[in-house]
């Protein structure tokens, strides 16, 4: 046992009951409770993930636009495209140092939810559609952050794959898909990096809120994966605190002004809550306090000021390493003497991070235009904005100016993408198109000068109706504060675009089976596509993506030879020789996929099981080894609830992308396991029918809960269903708007509005600083459901006993809720 755990237990044993109850709920929006008499200091928890967002005026407000300056590193999607956990560890170290300097012991990131659908509003913050990439990238960051004595936080556990109704929706997902796709990344990150905290997701999984699912928080996370840190709620995620403590949810954030204290005390008294469970939660809070304490002796000394210049340089390197060259007919890198037309307002007003809780105030901000002018010389660079950076709209005048400027230059770089208000935490996109103005601009510029490179700035895949026309396409994603400089480095050839897509770009969103159930309905979303997400779908169906998972060209070419797969201990080592056959230094991502040749269970055609990034000088070669353990061949068996390996032949594919196989070897895996059998969604649609989904779930498909009558989990938006509801909603919205800062910022506003609409009524109570107690909330809900306020009041005065109209915590019976929890 770690000494801090033992010490924590001793400290907790000496606390009063009141102190214990106080300790497991935050003090305010960003800090935990201090109990000075017991030597327990308060901890500040801040977002995350791609930079420190420490609010200047903390306390009980959520103001995403007013935080201390910090290095804004590339967002999760851009970091993941580096496929370089070592680089992410470096970024993590820098994040940890900035946290330490600001006295922040807990950074709320990384987020590693699977990108089930490319329209997910928060995809920019997440890593991948594949759990191996997501888990390994997260592990790199965690190791770096925690090397500085700062706790990282894996979030959002689990199956938080959309923003629509994110705080209450029930994700109905079969056990095998949950295990193989949605939990595996968390498992890898826990096992590889020992995170000190995990944040549970807002949503429900199979009928139970994540924060109350003992299967997730205790059985899987702690008992199976051996997580030994603290589990906290997402902000205002608590649905019912007592069962949450029992489930293994230690800390409630933010503090809910004693909302649950009475219930916890009553549960202890009636022994529906075991005192040992409360003690355990307290001990984990204290353990985190001790684990993140500044090193002894450093207590009085302030942590050293971070080297912001070095961190900026690192952010620039990481952004270039995450830039993906999608197509190139040889235009890039640009020739050193070419005159360059820069088109697109993002060159001056960069789109470099996503809106919402991850919004960082950068220490500085590079623009592509400035850096290009500086590096290429003013006289070589001309510019036309082409569109409005806020709306994305263009005009005929802007288009013709852009065409003229483009036509007069040797080469053109046109910057397009998604304006902030089109993607944000809080809402999902309802299509994958660029703003019409951006599509028109690309067309006009390519017409004027075919020697055009398009650089995309967006947090997630977009459709490209013009894909075949430009001479080159770069996916820059949201590259952080140095993203503009990184693009200049890449187009001029000072850096290679080192990225590979960590997600598939579909040609059309409608191609995807998940589109049939994304984002679902207000109370439920059914994962009927099972494992057919991303390349797993494209491989199986033969529906070609626009760009495949793992794709990226770089500026040189690599040759693969001598693929060998040899047994080593209980696993296998895959080796391959990689040679840089081009004239420039460059990096390659060697991707190892496994295919079960004959399987009794339904399986994707192939799945990524390992990868390695190599950097090679021109002409240089290197032998690359990737180890595969037994798990690389396994499926989750829903009968025995364990991983099973089928006996037989497996193909090991050595690839440069999911659709570029460079070598293969077939091995025979001998396994005593009884074969797993399971069926999934059948072709051609890959959307499970009712019967297929029932088979996958192992029980009838749960009926979607109705919006009425209202209950504690009804969202503010659902109040629109009745006249009185609309009145109450208007009041809540007015009050909530006042408590958010940043309303004058249009990008933040859209996310805030969505956040308010998605807030469940219990969340309104918890955020009310004690004004709306749960009792009052229940009363309000009765009234909203048609009870006369007077009668309720009279009844309350006449009786002190329980209400004759108890308000249940539960969402109204979704009739076939079953025990399909993991
Ligand atoms: C987000 C979390 C974030 C928290 C605190 C929530 O709404 O989902 O990722 O850490 O707010 O800002």
């Amino acid at each position: 046992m770690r000494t801090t755990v033992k010490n924590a237990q001793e400290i907790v044993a000496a606390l009063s009951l009141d102190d214990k109850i106080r300790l497991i709920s935050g003090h305010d929006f960003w800090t935990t409770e201090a109990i000075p008499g017991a030597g327990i200091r308060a901890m500040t928890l801040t977002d995350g993930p791609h930079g420190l967002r420490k609010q200047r005026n903390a306390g009980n407000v959520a103001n995403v636009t007013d935080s201390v300056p910090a290095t804004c590193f590339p967002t999760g999607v851009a970091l993941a495209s580096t496929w370089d956990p070592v680089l992410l560890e470096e970024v993590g170290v820098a994040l940890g140092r900035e946290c330490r300097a600001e006295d922040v012991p807990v950074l709320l990131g990384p987020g590693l939810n699977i990108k089930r659908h490319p329209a997910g509003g928060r995809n920019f913050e997440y890593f991948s559609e594949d759990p191996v990439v997501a888990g390994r990238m997260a592990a790199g960051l965690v190791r770096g952050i925690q090397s500085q004595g700062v706790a990282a936080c894996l979030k959002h556990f689990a199956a938080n794959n959309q923003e629509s109704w994110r705080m209450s929706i029930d994700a109905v997902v079969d056990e095998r898909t949950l295990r193989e796709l949605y939990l595996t990344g968390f498992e890898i990150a826990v096992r590889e990096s020992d995170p000190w905290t995990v944040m549970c997701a807002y949503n429900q999984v199979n009928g139970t809120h994540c924060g109350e699912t003992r299967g997730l928080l205790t059985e899987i996370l702690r008992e199976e994966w051996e997580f030994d840190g603290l589990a906290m709620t997402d902000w205002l995620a608590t649905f019912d605190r007592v069962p949450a403590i029992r489930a293994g949810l230690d800390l409630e954030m933010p503090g809910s002004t004693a909302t649950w204290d009475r219930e916890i005390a009553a549960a202890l008294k009636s022994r529906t809550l075991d005192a040992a469970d409360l003690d355990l939660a307290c001990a984990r809070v204290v353990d985190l306090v001790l684990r993140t304490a500044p090193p002894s002796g450093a207590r009085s000394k302030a942590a050293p000021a971070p080297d912001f210049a070095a961190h900026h340089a690192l952010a620039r390197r990481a952004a270039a390493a995450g830039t993906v060259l999608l197509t190139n007919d040889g235009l890039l890198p640009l020739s050193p003497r070419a005159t360059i037309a820069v088109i697109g307002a993002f060159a001056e007003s960069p789109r470099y991070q996503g809106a919402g809780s991850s919004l960082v105030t950068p220490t500085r901000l590079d623009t592509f235009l400035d850096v290009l002018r500086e590096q290429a010389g003013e006289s070589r660079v001309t510019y036309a904005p082409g569109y409005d950076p806020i709306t994305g709209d263009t005009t005929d005048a802007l288009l013709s100016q852009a065409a003229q400027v483009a036509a007069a230059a040797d080469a053109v770089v046109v910057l397009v993408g998604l304006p902030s208000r089109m993607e944000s935490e809080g809402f999902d996109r309802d299509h994958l198109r660029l703003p019409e103005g951006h599509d028109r601009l690309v067309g006009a510029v390519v017409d004027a000068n075919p020697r055009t490179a398009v650089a995309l700035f967006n947090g997630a895949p977009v459709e490209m109706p013009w894909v075949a026309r430009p001479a080159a396409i770069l996916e820059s994603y949201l590259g952080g504060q140095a993203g503009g400089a990184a693009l200049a480095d890449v187009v001029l050839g000072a850096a290679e675009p080192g990225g590979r897509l960590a997600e598939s770009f579909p040609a059309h969103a409608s191609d995807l089976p998940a589109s049939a159930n994304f984002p679902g309905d207000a109370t439920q979303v059914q994962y009927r596509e099972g494992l057919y997400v991303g390349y797993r779908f494209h491989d199986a169906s033969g529906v070609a993506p626009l760009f495949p998972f793992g794709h990226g060209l770089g500026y040189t070419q690599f040759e693969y030879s001598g693929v060998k797969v040899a047994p080593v201990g209980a696993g296998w080592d895959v080796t391959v020789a990689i040679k840089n056959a081009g004239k420039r230094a460059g990096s390659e991502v060697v991707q190892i996929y496994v295919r079960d040749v004959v399987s009794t269970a339904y399986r994707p055609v192939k799945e990524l099981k390992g990868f390695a990034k190599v950097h090679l000088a021109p002409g240089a070669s290197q032998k690359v080894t990737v180890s595969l353990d037994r798990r690389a061949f396994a499926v989750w068996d829903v009968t025995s609830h364990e991983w099973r390996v089928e006996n037989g032949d497996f193909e090991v594919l050595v690839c440069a992308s999911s659709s570029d196989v460079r070598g293969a070897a077939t091995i025979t895996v001998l396994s005593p396991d009884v074969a797993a059998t399971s069926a999934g969604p059948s072709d051609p649609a890959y959307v499970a029918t009712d019967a297929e989904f029932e088979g996958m779930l192992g029980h009838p498909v749960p009926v979607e809960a109705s919006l009425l009558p209202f209950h504690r989990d009804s969202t503010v938006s659902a109040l629109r269903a009745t006249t009185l509801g609309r009145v109450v909603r208007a009041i809540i919205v007015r009050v909530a708007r006042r408590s958010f800062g940043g309303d004058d910022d249009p990008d933040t506003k859209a996310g805030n509005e969505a956040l308010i609409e998605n807030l469940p009524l219990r969340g309104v109570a918890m955020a009310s600083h004690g004004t709306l107690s749960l009792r009052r909330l229940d009363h309000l809900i009765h009234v909203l459901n048609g009870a006369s306020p007077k009668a309720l009041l009279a009844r309350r005065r006449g009786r002190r006993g329980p209400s004759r109209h108890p308000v249940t915590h539960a969402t109204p019976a979704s009739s076939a809720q079953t025990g399909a929890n993991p």
Side-chain angles (χ1 to χ4, degrees):
M1 191 193 288
R2 274 185 291 110
T3 39
T4 49
V5 174
K6 199 164 159 285
N7 295 347
Q9 286 167 349
E10 281 161 15
I11 291 172
V12 169
L15 293 180
S16 69
L17 181 59
D18 283 353
D19 280 345
K20 288 181 187 175
I21 294 178
R22 229 154 48 83
L23 192 61
I24 58 164
S25 177
H27 173 70
D28 58 23
F29 223 80
W30 301 112
T31 59
T32 58
E33 285 288 356
I35 305 184
I40 302 172
R41 71 177 204 289
M43 292 179 288
T44 301
L45 288 61
T46 76
D47 293 299
H50 61 273
L52 171 68
R53 182 174 74 81
K54 186 183 180 196
Q55 278 184 205
R56 248 187 269 262
N57 297 308
N60 258 329
V61 289
N63 183 342
V64 297
T65 52
D66 185 26
S67 53
V68 301
T71 307
C72 177
F73 287 97
T75 54
V77 61
L79 288 176
S81 310
T82 67
W83 291 63
D84 192 344
V86 178
L87 177 59
L88 265 69
E89 201 166 324
E90 267 187 79
V91 172
V93 169
L95 289 171
R97 288 196 176 134
E98 295 195 18
C99 288
R100 268 274 166 245
E102 284 290 341
D103 199 16
V104 168
V106 184
L107 185 68
L108 302 173
L112 63 153
N113 295 93
I114 290 295
K115 300 181 189 196
R116 173 175 174 246
H117 195 283
R122 220 170 166 180
N123 282 10
F124 69 86
E125 216 178 314
Y126 297 143
F127 294 125
S128 182
E129 68 187 29
D130 183 90
V132 172
V133 180
R136 291 202 46 209
M137 303 314 281
L141 267 181
V142 171
R143 281 193 298 268
I145 295 168
Q146 295 190 168
S147 70
Q148 302 306 303
V150 172
C153 178
L154 295 186
K155 66 188 189 183
H156 311 86
F157 189 60
N160 176 188
N161 309 106
Q162 64 186 58
E163 294 302 283
S164 311
W165 311 290
R166 66 170 170 159
M167 296 176 94
S168 51
I169 197 155
D170 183 15
V172 179
V173 50
D174 67 279
E175 184 182 327
R176 183 165 165 217
T177 303
L178 193 60
R179 283 288 188 158
E180 294 189 13
L181 214 49
Y182 297 101
L183 296 186
T184 293
F186 285 95
E187 178 179 4
I188 292 172
V190 167
R191 292 196 196 275
E192 283 193 7
S193 65
D194 185 21
W196 296 351
T197 76
V198 165
M199 182 190 288
C200 82
Y202 285 122
N203 50 284
Q204 307 176 48
V205 175
N206 294 322
T208 309
H209 290 80
C210 291
E212 281 160 36
T213 308
R214 193 175 163 82
L216 280 174
L217 292 173
T218 295
E219 287 159 22
I220 293 180
L221 184 63
R222 296 182 192 282
E223 293 170 6
E224 216 181 294
W225 302 346
E226 297 175 2
F227 169 70
D228 75 344
L230 168 141
M232 70 180 87
T233 61
D234 197 343
W235 265 231
L236 298 173
T238 307
F239 176 64
D240 196 349
R241 190 64 180 111
V242 171
I245 298 171
R246 276 198 301 260
L249 198 286
D250 308 309
L251 175 67
E252 179 198 24
M253 285 304 293
S256 57
T257 329
T259 298
W260 302 101
D261 291 10
R262 264 196 359 203
E263 311 209 354
I264 298 172
L268 287 167
K269 205 161 166 201
S270 64
R271 295 188 192 280
T272 46
L273 177 65
D274 197 332
D277 285 340
L278 175 65
D279 285 358
L280 199 55
C282 291
R284 293 193 188 120
V285 174
V286 177
D287 175 45
L288 186 64
V289 171
L290 301 177
R291 264 179 141 179
T292 57
S296 54
R299 226 164 266 269
S300 49
K301 275 192 262 149
D307 184 345
F308 285 121
H311 291 183
H312 185 79
L314 173 60
R316 182 170 176 167
R317 183 154 55 87
T323 300
V324 186
L325 183 60
L326 296 174
T327 65
N328 188 17
D329 73 358
L331 176 69
L332 294 179
L334 298 176
S335 100
R337 278 170 301 282
T339 56
I340 307 163
V342 174
I343 312 287
F346 285 169
E348 276 186 304
S349 312
R351 174 89 209 287
Y352 63 102
Q353 64 174 330
S357 61
S358 66
L359 200 78
V360 174
T361 302
T363 57
R364 55 187 263 204
L365 184 57
D366 292 341
T367 74
F368 174 59
L369 196 56
D370 284 349
V371 179
L372 191 76
R373 280 182 173 145
E374 201 181 286
Q375 294 194 348
E378 293 264 349
S379 60
R380 270 177 66 197
V381 180
T382 51
Y383 170 66
Y387 54 81
D388 176 319
I390 306 285
T391 62
D393 295 342
T394 188
T395 61
D396 288 344
L398 285 170
L399 289 176
S400 86
Q401 182 201 27
Q404 266 178 32
V405 172
D410 297 332
V412 186
V413 181
V414 54
L415 291 80
V416 291
L418 296 174
S420 287
R421 59 176 57 177
M422 290 185 74
E423 62 180 341
S424 168
E425 175 178 344
F427 59 86
D428 299 308
R429 285 185 293 161
D430 48 20
H431 61 76
L432 302 186
R433 294 187 298 279
L434 290 173
E436 197 197 337
H438 288 214
D439 280 337
R440 287 180 65 200
L441 180 66
V442 173
V445 169
V446 179
D447 283 345
N449 188 343
R451 288 176 57 74
T452 291
V454 173
L456 288 160
F457 290 84
N458 44 294
V462 290
E463 293 173 1
M464 300 175 213
W466 36 259
V467 66
R469 303 199 59 214
I473 306 174
L474 280 163
E475 177 52 84
S476 289
Y477 283 124
L478 305 177
Q481 66 181 46
L487 179 62
D489 292 343
V490 164
V491 298
L492 296 175
E496 64 149 358
R500 304 290 183 269
L501 295 178
E503 60 191 351
S504 311
F505 273 47
H508 309 281
S510 55
D511 291 345
L512 305 175
S515 290
N517 291 285
F518 183 89
D521 297 310
T523 59
Q524 190 195 69
V525 51
Q526 300 178 355
Y527 288 34
R528 287 191 184 229
E529 69 288 348
L531 295 169
Y532 293 124
V533 169
Y535 70 88
R536 289 166 169 81
F537 160 71
H538 292 291
D539 276 356
S541 64
V543 174
L546 184 61
F547 294 105
F549 173 83
H551 171 72
L553 298 174
Y555 287 157
T556 183
Q557 302 80 42
F558 293 90
E559 286 171 2
Y560 290 56
S561 61
V563 170
K564 282 201 192 70
V565 183
V568 176
W572 301 78
D573 271 0
V574 186
T575 47
V576 56
I578 305 292
K579 178 176 180 196
N580 180 350
K583 293 194 173 59
R584 302 175 59 97
S587 61
E588 176 70 332
V589 177
V590 179
Q591 303 164 34
I592 309 296
Y593 296 79
V594 165
R595 183 173 97 81
D596 192 355
V597 177
V598 180
S599 171
T600 54
Y602 99 96
R603 283 187 97 152
V605 174
K606 65 177 186 299
E607 293 183 281
L608 184 82
K609 295 299 172 184
F611 59 89
K613 185 153 191 171
V614 279
H615 300 263
L616 290 173
S621 299
Q622 190 180 319
K623 203 156 104 181
V624 175
T625 301
V626 174
S627 300
L628 300 178
D629 57 12
R630 180 180 178 275
R631 179 67 181 276
F633 304 92
V635 293
W636 180 257
D637 178 51
V638 294
T639 311
S640 60
H641 306 290
E642 60 187 28
W643 295 101
R644 284 194 172 170
V645 176
E646 284 197 335
N647 207 43
D649 288 351
F650 288 82
E651 226 181 331
V652 177
L653 304 162
V654 179
C655 302
S657 85
S658 62
S659 63
D660 185 0
V661 181
R662 297 293 184 90
T666 301
I667 55 169
T668 304
V669 175
L670 301 175
S671 166
D673 292 355
V674 177
T677 52
S678 76
S682 57
D683 56 355
Y686 297 95
V687 180
T689 60
D690 285 348
E692 286 168 347
F693 200 39
E694 241 181 76
M696 289 160 68
L697 293 169
H699 57 77
V701 180
V703 174
E704 199 191 319
S706 66
L707 291 178
L708 292 172
F710 296 118
H711 45 86
R712 284 186 183 179
D713 221 21
S714 298
T715 60
V716 168
S717 134
L719 293 177
R720 288 191 168 96
T722 67
T723 313
L724 182 57
R726 284 192 286 278
V727 175
V728 173
R729 180 192 155 275
I731 297 169
I732 294 175
V733 170
R734 210 172 37 241
V735 175
R737 273 186 193 147
R738 258 187 264 134
S739 69
F740 282 112
D743 253 10
D744 41 346
D745 169 19
D747 305 336
T748 304
K749 193 172 175 184
N752 282 353
E753 293 291 312
L755 197 150
I756 296 167
E757 295 293 347
N758 277 335
L759 199 62
L761 296 180
R762 52 165 163 107
V764 175
M766 290 187 292
S768 71
H769 311 316
T771 315
L772 184 63
S773 64
L774 288 176
R775 185 179 287 224
R776 282 195 181 137
L777 173 67
D778 290 346
H779 189 82
L780 172 67
I781 291 171
H782 278 303
V783 174
L784 282 165
N785 285 333
S788 134
K790 263 199 203 147
L792 277 172
L793 218 57
R795 202 176 297 132
R796 241 181 82 192
R797 284 209 193 97
R799 251 180 335 101
R800 287 276 168 251
S803 158
R804 273 197 278 148
H805 293 269
V807 175
T808 113
H809 289 8
T811 46
S814 72
S815 53
Q817 290 305 354
T818 65
N821 287 321

